[in-house]
Amino acid sequence: MENMLLAQPNQKPGLFVPVAGLSLFALASGYLMSLIPLSLTYFDLSLDLAPWLASIFYLGLLLGAPCIAPIVSRIGHSKAFILFLNILLCSVVVMVLLPQSSVWLAARLIAGIAVAGIFVVVESWLLMADTQKQRAKRLGLYMTALYGGTAIGQLAVDYLGTTGNLPYLVVIGLLAAASLPALLVKRGQPQSSEQHSIALSDLKTLSKPAIAGCLVSGLLLGPIYGLLPVYVSRDMGFAQQTGQFMALIILGGMIVQPLVSYLSPRIQKSVLMTAFCLVGAAALLLLMQTSLVGLWLGFVLLGACAFALYPIAISLACDHLPSSQIVSATQIMLLSYSVGSVIGPVAASRFDDIEHGLPLYLAASFLVTACYLSAHLLARSKARLPTAKA
């Protein structure tokens, strides 16, 4: 797998272009993720298509993740960012012009590949810093822009609706605007070069809980993005508040990031992931009652716990790796996340015939993960006992 090195010490890639572009992309993406399943009936498409649209999008993410770095190395970050944004834009245009199941599935597959490109470009751009502290600050800015933009974008469901072509035209306009910073600002472009990749024989050295954390993050977030808007609107009966509840989930994910950054160096990461899984499972009980305050709290906690797993898992995976392999490791983690995201919506759809089916699926995913992590911690503790006694 070919990847990019961090910038040389004398290079100081600017932050305005990737952060401004990412913020506009996040606004469009946040609106689009809820708009697609909620607009199916307007385009005379079956609601049964919703889990497949979510899964095939993440299949595109899975296929695109290992293929992006060579493109960025050849044409540079700025041009690659513009390229992938415009591919995503064209996929949305095609969906509006040709509202057919097969066309939408193909468009979402291509969109997934494009979004993988956007993520790799922006993350590698922001990782080009001299110190770990600078990288942490830049990634904090990245998560704030991504989650904040996504949360605000979700609110557009309530204000702009999900019927007609106007919502899709707004998404197209935001994606077009996201290219403008890269088109207008030429200074501060990063330079890229090849770095050492992790050999297949070295994959066994990566943390198993880290891989599991990324996989389960996909199993959770795939259905949350792809199926939860329909569940809130149709099964919970909150059609007018769908955007607000989805925004609460993203808000929870954004709020928890400083807590994750604070706790990760102080608490064993597997223990921290286990704690978030248990809290996440408990939060889903709040979605099965009628109190509005309880529902708000449940959605915020669900978002906090679901979005906490991925950054903790990536940090765990990179703890003992040389800096030359960090980008490669993060791409492997992205692949693990993408596998979970492909499987998640289809697996969650099997719970449709059960009352509170989607919350039960999410709770089961949290609890199974907590059990696995606890068993792994117990096994490691037992393995250390002979050494400790000796």
Side-chain angles (χ1 to χ4, degrees), residues 69-361:
I71 299 174
V72 180
S73 296
R74 177 176 290 271
I75 67 175
H77 284 72
S78 183
K79 291 181 180 178
F81 188 52
I82 296 169
L83 172 65
F84 293 126
L85 279 172
N86 281 279
I87 291 174
L88 178 59
L89 186 154
C90 290
S91 73
V92 178
V93 172
V94 169
M95 291 173 66
V96 175
L97 295 179
L98 298 171
Q100 302 169 16
S101 297
S102 58
V103 174
W104 277 42
L105 288 169
R108 292 308 287 164
L109 176 67
I110 294 171
I113 296 173
V115 170
I118 292 169
F119 285 153
V120 170
V121 168
V122 175
E123 288 174 7
S124 61
W125 193 327
L126 294 177
L127 279 169
M128 292 181 180
D130 297 338
T131 66
Q132 290 291 339
K133 185 176 181 180
Q134 289 176 339
R135 292 175 198 167
K137 287 182 178 180
R138 288 181 171 211
L139 287 177
L141 184 62
Y142 164 75
M143 289 181 177
T144 301
L146 180 61
Y147 293 158
T150 303
I152 295 172
Q154 294 282 351
L155 296 176
V157 170
D158 298 332
Y159 294 101
L160 297 178
T162 59
T163 59
N165 292 329
L166 176 62
Y168 283 93
L169 292 176
V170 170
V171 170
I172 291 168
L174 287 170
L175 291 174
S179 298
L180 292 179
L183 284 170
L184 299 176
V185 180
K186 301 301 182 182
R187 299 183 62 184
Q189 304 296 329
Q191 297 179 8
S192 58
S193 59
E194 293 181 7
Q195 76 156 13
H196 299 294
S197 62
I198 296 179
L200 293 177
S201 59
D202 294 333
L203 291 179
K204 61 184 179 182
T205 64
L206 289 176
S207 168
K208 302 301 185 294
I211 295 174
C214 290
L215 177 68
V216 174
S217 179
L219 289 171
L220 293 167
L221 294 179
I224 286 174
Y225 284 147
L227 302 181
L228 194 57
V230 174
Y231 177 82
V232 172
S233 175
R234 182 186 63 188
D235 297 344
M236 295 182 66
F238 289 104
Q240 299 300 319
Q241 292 81 32
T242 299
Q244 295 175 18
F245 284 134
M246 293 302 297
L248 286 174
I249 290 178
I250 309 300
L251 181 62
M254 185 169 63
I255 291 173
V256 81
Q257 296 308 317
L259 181 63
V260 168
S261 299
Y262 177 79
L263 293 177
S264 289
R266 294 169 173 80
I267 300 177
Q268 191 173 350
K269 293 181 177 64
S270 294
V271 174
L272 191 57
M273 285 195 290
T274 302
F276 276 115
C277 285
L278 293 175
V279 174
L284 285 155
L285 295 175
L286 296 173
L287 303 189
M288 301 180 191
Q289 45 81 55
T290 56
S291 167
L292 193 58
V293 174
L295 288 174
W296 288 346
L297 180 61
F299 279 111
V300 171
L301 288 175
L302 173 60
C305 295
F307 281 101
L309 295 180
Y310 188 71
I312 297 172
I314 286 185
S315 177
L316 178 60
C318 297
D319 270 351
H320 304 294
L321 289 179
S323 58
S324 61
Q325 292 185 339
I326 287 179
V327 177
S328 182
T330 56
Q331 286 196 339
I332 292 172
M333 295 300 105
L334 178 59
L335 287 174
S336 300
Y337 168 82
S338 301
V339 170
S341 300
V342 171
I343 298 171
V346 177
S349 68
R350 304 301 180 188
F351 288 69
D352 281 349
D353 296 332
I354 305 173
E355 187 178 7
H356 306 301
L358 183 57
L360 288 175
Y361 163 82

